[in-house]
Amino acid sequence: MISLESHIHLAGAAVERPPSRTELEAPIVVLDSGLGGLTVARALRREMPAEQIVYFGDTARLPYGSKSPATVRQYVTQIINYLLPLRPKHVVMACNTATALALSAAVEAFPGIPISGVIEPGARAAVAAAGAKKQPIIGVLATDATVRSGAYERAILRRRQLARILIRPTPLLAPMVEEGRSCNDPLVKLALEQYLKPMVERGLDVLLLGCTHYPILRAAIEQVAGPKVLVIDSAQQSAQDVARRLRNAGMARAPRRSAEKAAVGSMRCYVSDDPDRFRLLAGRFLGEAIEPPTLVDPETLYRQVSAPMRLRPAV
């Protein structure tokens, strides 16, 4: 069993003991409602190639963007509970809706695990991309639930009070990506024109992709938005944020040197429905083939304890 005390603060003071080899080799868990979070996993693989990554796609219950906050919080809690035996060293919610609606609840429920999301890193990068302009116009494309949460407005305005924010619900895009549609698909192009043109006409400076499915359509989005609009990928920003956190905590797994065999990361996937389809489409998101995913029936998730198990530091 892995002790997590090496990166838990006790009584306000950080524990100085360096992490054990077992702790360093613990996985990073990436969770999402379906395939979209694989864009975060791909970015993590580039940032930290030696890490073990466990991905959970809740494909039986997607999309999260049309669910209530209480339902999304329940789903996230169930997934983290299910993966607790793996003793993850970090959990990243690679879903903007889950981040907006369930991140704070998960952080409170699982105090022994560092948990992060995609909204704060994306907002921080969008503000930075706006440069020194006094009143930049920052656009956000997101799911209905993320828009209703107001999470992006709050995150951006904390950093740039005078920014003008144009946030647009884009409910058609994630299902199109899940269906396997590409940038060249006529329906994708039509939807993007309908969503983006009114924003561009208002003088858009920066466009933040507020759903981890959307980087798959980035080429088409950039084409419709035009060369004057800077497009920010929240998936990439989230992966960089996780890498920074782990390195700062001394929990990053570095490739071994000298005569030892280099540490090579791995990726294991779990899904709640249709593993064959997930495996078929995953290569498009990851840029590499994956092993057959493990199927976790939703009933198994629902049977998780109603009160999440809390990890406590070893004494």
Side-chain angles (χ1 to χ4, degrees):
M1 182 176 292
I2 297 173
S3 167
L4 299 177
E5 67 173 347
S6 60
H7 58 286
I8 295 176
H9 286 69
L10 299 177
V15 177
E16 297 297 332
R17 180 185 64 78
S20 68
R21 180 171 177 175
T22 305
E23 289 168 334
L24 288 174
E25 293 180 354
I28 300 169
V29 164
V30 180
L31 64 87
D32 183 62
S33 61
L35 287 155
L38 289 171
T39 59
V40 175
R42 180 177 185 171
L44 273 172
R45 299 271 281 169
R46 289 196 299 264
E47 289 285 331
M48 310 185 80
E51 294 292 344
Q52 314 299 326
I53 296 176
V54 170
Y55 184 89
F56 195 108
D58 198 5
T59 46
R61 304 186 292 191
L62 63 85
Y64 281 7
S66 60
K67 304 295 192 299
S68 70
T71 296
V72 174
R73 286 193 291 269
Q74 180 186 42
Y75 290 174
V76 167
T77 297
Q78 291 169 349
I79 292 169
I80 297 176
N81 265 325
Y82 178 81
L83 296 175
L84 276 182
L86 301 179
R87 285 295 198 264
K89 62 181 174 183
H90 194 95
V91 172
V92 54
M93 292 189 186
C95 170
N96 283 263
T97 300
T99 300
L101 302 182
L103 177 59
S104 59
V107 169
E108 181 179 356
F110 301 96
I113 308 175
I115 304 175
S116 64
V118 290
I119 288 177
E120 289 292 331
R124 184 166 55 245
V127 168
K133 189 172 182 179
K134 184 177 180 180
Q135 195 174 36
I137 300 177
I138 299 175
V140 183
L141 301 182
T143 65
D144 287 323
T146 301
V147 171
R148 289 195 303 269
S149 74
Y152 270 112
E153 289 98 325
R154 292 191 297 272
I156 292 171
L157 291 175
R158 279 199 303 272
R159 297 171 170 86
R160 188 69 70 88
Q161 293 183 357
L162 296 180
R164 293 173 58 197
I165 302 172
L166 306 178
I167 187 162
R168 184 73 188 264
T170 49
L172 294 177
L173 297 186
M176 284 182 175
V177 172
E178 293 278 345
E179 289 172 4
R181 295 182 184 271
S182 69
C183 291
N184 296 322
D185 190 292
L187 289 179
V188 169
K189 292 182 176 180
L190 180 61
L192 288 175
E193 288 176 359
Q194 294 294 314
Y195 289 143
L196 280 174
K197 282 194 172 179
M199 302 173 78
V200 174
E201 289 170 357
R202 295 180 66 178
L204 192 64
D205 296 303
V206 178
L207 179 64
L208 176 56
L209 306 184
C211 175
T212 50
H213 286 74
Y214 299 171
I216 297 297
L217 305 177
R218 180 167 183 163
I221 290 170
E222 289 179 331
Q223 184 177 15
V224 175
K228 295 183 180 179
V229 179
L230 295 172
V231 176
I232 303 298
D233 177 353
S234 61
Q236 176 63 42
Q237 299 302 321
S238 176
Q240 292 174 353
D241 177 68
V242 172
R244 176 185 56 79
R245 289 169 182 259
L246 289 175
R247 287 166 184 152
N248 288 346
M251 292 295 291
R253 186 175 184 231
R256 302 188 190 106
R257 298 180 180 179
S258 69
E260 292 185 70
K261 184 179 179 181
V264 178
S266 65
M267 184 160 174
R268 187 175 7 156
C269 294
Y270 296 80
V271 295
S272 54
D273 189 33
D274 204 347
D276 293 335
R277 179 179 178 275
F278 181 92
R279 188 184 185 191
L280 179 66
L281 294 176
R284 181 175 171 223
F285 288 78
L286 282 171
E288 61 180 286
I290 64 168
E291 295 297 319
T294 299
L295 177 62
V296 181
D297 189 274
E299 289 302 314
T300 301
L301 297 173
Y302 281 114
R303 286 196 296 269
Q304 298 299 308
V305 291
S306 57
M309 183 178 79
R310 294 172 180 267
L311 296 184
R312 300 188 183 278
V315 293

